[in-house]
Amino acid sequence: MRTIEAVKHGVVPGTQAAAALRELLHGLQGSTEETVLVFEKGDYHIRAQDCTQEMLYITNTVGDKEFGPGETPHLNAVPFFLKNIQNLTIRGGGARFILDGKATNMALQSCENIAVQDLEITATHPDMHALTVVGKGLFHTDFRLDADSRYTCRNGEYFFEGTGYSRSFFADRNTAFWIGLIRKDEPEAIRRVRHPFMGAVRICELEHGVFRVWFLNTSRFKMGDEYYIFDVRRQYAGIFVDRCKNVTLQNIKQRFNYSLALVAQDTDTLTAEGLTFAPEEDSVRRMASVADFIQICMCRGQVRIEDCLFSGAGDDCLNVHGIHFKIQRKAGNTITVRFMHAQSHGFNPLRAGDTVAFIRPDSMLEHGQAKILNSVLHGEYEIELTLDDAKAAVVGEVIEDISACPDVHFADNRLTRIITRGLLLTTRGKVVVENNRFVSTTMSGILLSDDAKSWYESGMCKNVTIRNNIFEYCGETPIRILPENAVHKGAVHENVTIQNNIFGRYPGKCITAKSTAHLCVSGNRFGKPGRQLQCRNCEDVKED
């Protein structure tokens, strides 16, 4: 085993380290020797403009039509870019990397047996801005901008300013619905609302960082309200793991990222232990991610997420799913399928040797299977598949790759300030969710979905256990089993056990289920008396 000390390659604390880091990691490409890369503790400054520039097609991120003039679609700056490397351990030793500019913090492509340990990634003056209500009149509201945000005034118009961005205070003000709001009396809860400047008549600066905004009506504002304004395009990611095998992430702190905090795509076996995806304790912000914290898409093997803290997400905490590809053409045993959602395309996770199921979008039920003999990506959106038997393939219906359905173990984690759902689970693999604390989610704590008409996220759940969790607050039904089938022709999900959980006091039912078979609900404690399970089109339900 060899040991590489980063400091001997010019990656030195207290310096602009991007260029030296880029050269060091580039030199490791193609390496298979067991290697440990060691960083000294300290602050490393990273300018996005000095980083590796790579074309990255990252699932559930920005679509082609969302890029602006002068932007190259899918071009990412990446400080930590690892490609075609095997048997590497990165020991951060408590190093902190401070990013100036927009980038994907870390990307691993076609790597195997990689461990990344004990480091922190944060951002300087990121494009996320907190505005707190500090005064209010009948027709005006006063807002204080967080101390970390920078701004300018040009021709009477105010702009948020930072490396790689300049955004008007009023940008998207009448269309944005994704703005985060934290109420003073509910500091752990965050919800999506309209832009605070929607309907504003004019704005002026009262003093540095304090602005008075006039409205026709100010009834929606309360003193202490904290609004979060950000670019919602999901243009980058925090950590991107693409077509890798056996990746372990341990004791990594991500304080801010411009999209999804961790994306694993077409990857076999991922372990995440002791992660902290949350702002620093003394941060002026209480959001850490523009979108989801973790997306697991078209993965295989085992996914373990344990002993983590997740606080302040702009979407779900965890989403595990496959992709429903729509069948476009059929000729003999060859079919052409297509990515159907604009934010997922440009990669091919359908491998020769995999088994695909043919799914009817109305019932979400399977009516046949075939094995892939050959798979070719054409352009960014279509994949040509040669199958051993395509008799069951119907143009207009969808396929699911049932070989790309990981087992998931999500345990001993804490979730708070999650703006939508805690966990969105859509996989045929064995799923165990245990010993977690759901402090606050604006929507359901856990949702079992499956759809072929909107996000096209597959597939059926076949073996799910939810046990020994605490659901303190969920803005919607804490546990929902809700496949998006238009007609019921049989159970979509099956073998779901909900056991020994503790639920707070909720106005409606704590558990709802639809088109589900073999559902067992037992040993749970509820905050109010009475039956807390509601089912529709379910079979073999056991409840105590």
Side-chain angles (χ1 to χ4, degrees):
M1 183 179 70
R2 62 172 172 168
T3 298
I4 298 174
E5 297 179 37
V7 69
K8 293 182 178 179
H9 293 261
V11 187
V12 179
T15 68
Q16 292 291 342
L21 181 60
R22 181 185 67 226
E23 295 304 314
L24 172 58
L25 296 177
H26 180 75
L28 292 175
Q29 289 189 16
S31 172
T32 61
E33 180 181 357
E34 190 172 350
T35 301
V36 177
L37 173 58
V38 180
F39 290 89
E40 289 188 359
K41 186 175 182 178
D43 288 350
Y44 297 78
H45 300 278
I46 304 290
R47 288 186 298 230
Q49 66 195 51
D50 298 332
C51 296
T52 298
Q53 303 289 317
E54 287 291 329
M55 298 294 292
L56 300 177
Y57 291 87
I58 307 174
T59 188
N60 292 81
T61 60
V62 59
D64 283 337
K65 294 182 180 180
E66 297 178 75
F67 289 94
E71 293 180 332
T72 301
H74 309 292
L75 182 64
N76 284 244
V78 189
F80 283 88
F81 183 65
L82 288 74
K83 187 171 185 177
N84 296 325
I85 301 172
Q86 296 182 28
N87 307 316
L88 173 66
T89 297
I90 295 177
R91 293 179 181 167
R96 185 171 73 141
F97 296 88
I98 306 169
L99 179 64
D100 184 13
K102 294 190 174 185
T104 288
N105 297 335
M106 181 181 297
L108 289 71
Q109 284 194 313
S110 302
C111 293
E112 186 172 346
N113 301 329
I114 305 294
V116 184
Q117 306 166 342
D118 303 316
L119 57 81
E120 180 174 347
I121 303 173
T122 188
T124 180
H125 309 300
D127 190 8
M128 177 175 281
H129 313 281
L131 286 160
T132 303
V133 175
V134 294
K136 181 180 172 182
L138 188 61
F139 297 109
H140 73 265
T141 302
D142 298 336
F143 299 88
R144 183 182 300 278
L145 180 62
D146 71 82
D148 188 53
S149 290
R150 297 179 296 185
Y151 65 94
T152 59
C153 182
R154 301 196 295 271
N155 300 320
E157 185 174 2
Y158 293 93
F159 294 82
F160 300 115
E161 300 283 357
T163 302
Y165 69 89
S166 177
R167 287 172 52 80
S168 169
F169 280 23
F170 281 3
D172 303 316
R173 65 184 173 125
N174 290 324
T175 57
F177 60 87
W178 56 80
I179 302 302
L181 169 62
I182 299 175
R183 299 280 191 191
K184 182 179 180 180
D185 56 351
E186 297 178 293
E188 294 299 321
I190 186 168
R191 53 182 55 85
R192 277 180 176 165
V193 296
R194 293 285 185 178
H195 200 292
F197 297 156
M198 182 185 69
V201 176
R202 63 187 178 96
I203 183 174
C204 75
E205 185 176 13
L206 299 179
E207 59 183 82
H208 182 75
V210 180
F211 303 88
R212 176 161 291 177
V213 185
W214 279 266
F215 302 89
L216 296 179
N217 187 305
T218 62
S219 61
R220 63 188 171 117
F221 300 111
K222 295 181 180 179
M223 290 291 292
D225 282 357
E226 194 173 287
Y227 291 88
Y228 284 84
I229 298 175
F230 48 88
D231 182 355
V232 78
R233 291 186 303 161
R234 302 181 170 199
Q235 194 169 352
Y236 305 92
I239 300 170
F240 178 43
V241 183
D242 182 27
R243 206 173 179 89
C244 294
K245 186 174 183 180
N246 296 332
V247 173
T248 299
L249 307 173
Q250 294 176 310
N251 301 323
I252 295 174
K253 297 180 175 67
Q254 275 197 119
R255 302 306 189 178
F256 178 80
N257 65 272
Y258 280 105
S259 179
L260 310 164
L262 169 60
V263 179
Q265 171 180 293
D266 193 14
T267 285
D268 186 337
T269 305
L270 173 73
T271 300
E273 296 178 338
L275 303 182
T276 299
F277 290 173
E280 297 91 336
E281 291 186 7
D282 61 350
S283 174
V284 296
R285 284 176 294 274
R286 289 188 279 184
M287 284 190 70
S289 183
V290 165
D292 308 63
F293 275 138
I294 302 179
Q295 281 267 353
I296 307 294
C297 177
M298 297 297 295
C299 289
R300 304 155 191 265
Q302 305 289 321
V303 173
R304 292 176 50 237
I305 302 168
E306 301 172 355
D307 298 306
C308 300
L309 169 63
F310 300 110
S311 179
D315 212 315
D316 304 323
C317 180
L318 169 67
N319 187 354
V320 182
H321 63 91
I323 294 174
H324 277 131
F325 294 88
K326 181 174 281 191
I327 301 172
Q328 303 293 302
R329 295 179 293 279
K330 175 181 175 181
N333 282 335
T334 298
I335 65 173
T336 300
V337 299
R338 185 176 179 86
F339 288 95
M340 296 305 297
H341 196 279
Q343 292 185 336
S344 294
H345 59 91
F347 63 101
N348 184 3
L350 306 176
R351 305 182 187 180
D354 285 0
T355 298
V356 297
F358 301 105
I359 307 293
R360 300 196 192 281
D362 58 348
S363 66
M364 300 305 300
L365 297 181
E366 175 185 324
H367 63 94
Q369 295 184 1
K371 182 166 287 188
I372 299 175
L373 302 179
N374 192 47
S375 176
V376 180
L377 177 67
H378 292 292
E380 295 182 8
Y381 292 91
E382 292 193 340
I383 301 173
E384 184 181 270
L385 300 176
T386 303
L387 306 176
D388 66 344
D389 184 356
K391 287 194 298 291
V394 178
V395 173
E397 294 187 351
V398 298
I399 66 165
E400 176 191 356
D401 187 334
I402 64 176
S403 299
C405 298
D407 295 338
V408 178
H409 188 227
F410 188 86
D412 300 296
N413 303 294
R414 184 177 187 269
L415 295 70
T416 187
R417 296 194 204 107
I418 307 300
I419 210 168
T420 51
R421 293 147 298 221
L423 312 184
L424 201 164
L425 302 169
T426 320
T427 177
R428 297 187 185 217
K430 181 180 180 180
V431 177
V432 178
V433 179
E434 61 184 348
N435 304 323
N436 303 286
R437 183 181 174 196
F438 294 78
V439 178
S440 178
T441 65
T442 301
M443 297 171 70
S444 295
I446 299 175
L447 170 63
L448 276 57
S449 187
D450 191 17
D451 89 273
K453 293 181 180 178
S454 54
W455 283 91
Y456 286 83
E457 293 181 353
S458 65
M460 305 172 183
C461 293
K462 296 292 190 180
N463 186 343
V464 178
T465 299
I466 302 168
R467 64 190 177 209
N468 301 325
N469 302 284
I470 300 173
F471 296 89
E472 294 184 18
Y473 172 79
C474 301
E476 296 180 356
T477 304
I479 299 177
R480 300 177 76 193
I481 306 172
L482 187 65
E484 296 184 30
N485 52 331
V487 296
H488 175 79
K489 295 184 178 180
V492 177
H493 298 314
E494 60 183 34
N495 300 322
V496 180
T497 299
I498 302 171
Q499 186 176 53
N500 298 335
N501 301 283
I502 299 174
F503 296 86
R505 189 175 183 87
Y506 293 96
K509 302 296 185 184
C510 288
I511 304 165
T512 61
K514 169 192 172 187
S515 299
T516 301
H518 314 305
L519 171 63
C520 178
V521 178
S522 67
N524 300 285
R525 292 167 52 193
F526 300 100
K528 65 176 183 179
R531 188 170 187 262
Q532 294 300 311
L533 170 65
Q534 179 177 335
C535 292
R536 179 160 59 97
N537 293 327
C538 293
E539 308 165 12
D540 187 23
V541 177
K542 298 178 181 179
E543 179 185 9
D544 68 11

